[in-house]
Amino acid sequence: MTLHHYMFDIPVRDRKVLFNLRDKLVENGCTERFTGDLGLNYVLIHTCSDRGYVILSFSDNIYIDLVSKNDDVKWFIDILTSVIPKNKVLTHYVLREV
């Protein structure tokens, strides 16, 4: 099985942006599975039907992991850039064979 792992690093220190992004994910059909403070990071985990898992964490920056079987993540990029300007988003991509 192939998993597509997208990692986003966003140099934003405002937790309100994180919660705005959470609200947009829920509006677009994602289900919040966990929210809580894990000591170093504040973490939110969402499942987005068959689209994948989204893990949002916040410390000094916002870090996002998107793991999906599908390589089309335009839906997530559209949600992300509706909250955060494109020029603030750093993206890394890893293709994993399981």
Side-chain angles (χ1 to χ4, degrees), residues 3-9 53 55 64-68 70-74 76-77 90-96:
L3 292 176
H4 302 272
H5 185 183
Y6 296 84
M7 296 162 278
F8 303 91
D9 183 359
Y53 295 92
I55 302 166
I64 302 170
D65 288 283
L66 169 62
V67 180
S68 176
N70 189 348
D71 64 345
D72 179 20
V73 294
K74 183 180 180 328
F76 181 74
I77 302 294
L90 302 167
T91 306
H92 308 279
Y93 171 72
V94 178
L95 185 63
R96 300 183 187 279

Side-chain angles (χ1 to χ4, degrees), residues 22-64:
R22 176 191 65 184
D23 293 342
K24 286 286 188 182
L25 285 168
V26 171
E27 285 174 18
N28 284 280
C30 295
T31 304
E32 190 169 357
R33 297 293 181 187
F34 175 81
T35 298
D37 191 350
L38 297 179
L40 296 175
N41 288 354
Y42 190 84
V43 176
L44 300 102
I45 300 174
H46 289 76
T47 55
C48 300
S49 61
D50 62 342
R51 294 178 171 177
Y53 295 92
V54 179
I55 302 166
L56 309 158
S57 65
F58 177 80
S59 56
D60 289 336
N61 295 333
I62 295 174
Y63 302 100
I64 302 170

